[in-house]
Amino acid sequence: MRKRILGIDPGLATVGFGAIDWQQSQTKEQQTRVQMVDFGVIRTSADMEMSQRLCTLFDDLHTVMEDLQPDLVAIEKLFFYRMANTIIVAQARGVLMLVLGQRKLPYVEFAPPQIKQALTNYGKADKSEVQEAVMRELDLDEIPRPDDAADALAVALTASFQL
């Protein structure tokens, strides 16, 4: 069995995405394998009006979905302490949810401590520990950049651990 999982680190200025292929062997040991497919970011400029930024996210998210053809999307839940920031990111996240609804894609959500726990066995791990775990789990030579893309791969890996 094979699944393509697309991880998303939502934001307004930068949305990170990272796709992995998860495969389970048909042997009685049921071994699993994960492989990185692609990663990157969608950026919007602070110079643009909010409506234009949201339209850019909408269009670019559709393109990412079309290019990567995920079977499952994993999303990092909102986790902010400043209300103004939360509202702005929530608007961008709403666009993401609209795109998923239009494409009828199943999704799962994880809070940052869940992602940290899944990758490092410590729910309060720092960013560098999570990034090193992503690099190790995907057998990469270096940490994916920018950080938002590495975070998205961490979300996708978290989903793969639950399959």
Side-chain angles (χ1 to χ4, degrees):
M1 177 173 36
R2 179 198 150 289
K3 282 195 183 279
R4 174 149 305 160
I5 305 168
L6 177 64
I8 302 279
D9 180 25
L12 179 63
T14 308
V15 173
F17 66 89
I20 61 173
D21 278 343
W22 174 89
Q23 189 166 1
Q24 186 174 53
S25 68
Q26 298 301 322
T27 65
K28 59 183 170 183
E29 290 88 28
Q30 297 292 306
Q31 295 176 344
T32 61
R33 186 177 67 129
V34 284
Q35 182 178 8
M36 197 269 302
V37 175
D38 194 12
F39 64 88
V41 293
I42 298 169
R43 295 189 192 277
T44 67
S45 171
D47 297 342
M48 298 168 73
E49 290 183 20
M50 176 60 86
S51 60
Q52 284 306 115
R53 293 176 88 176
L54 296 174
C55 284
T56 297
L57 289 179
F58 179 83
D59 292 341
D60 289 357
L61 283 167
H62 270 295
T63 299
V64 167
M65 301 294 169
E66 186 64 33
D67 291 348
L68 296 174
Q69 296 291 309
D71 300 302
L72 175 68
V73 178
I75 308 163
E76 183 174 336
K77 286 184 182 178
L78 291 181
F79 197 76
F80 289 101
Y81 297 109
R82 292 192 321 253
M83 184 57 76
N85 222 8
T86 302
I87 292 169
I88 290 170
V89 175
Q91 290 173 322
R93 195 171 182 284
V95 170
L96 168 61
M97 301 308 287
L98 174 62
V99 170
L100 295 179
Q102 288 178 326
R103 292 184 164 269
K104 296 177 177 46
L105 282 168
Y107 67 91
V108 292
E109 299 177 276
F110 302 102
Q114 289 176 288
I115 298 164
K116 293 173 182 182
Q117 179 70 37
L119 286 161
T120 69
N121 291 321
Y122 179 58
K124 294 183 179 180
D126 65 31
K127 188 177 272 294
S128 66
E129 292 173 292
V130 174
Q131 291 173 342
E132 287 175 22
V134 166
M135 186 175 73
R136 183 179 59 253
E137 290 290 331
L138 295 173
D139 196 27
L140 303 174
D141 294 331
E142 57 188 32
I143 294 170
R145 296 284 180 225
D147 289 352
D148 304 275
D151 293 346
L153 286 168
V155 179
L157 282 167
T158 301
S160 77
F161 297 155
Q162 296 193 357
L163 294 176

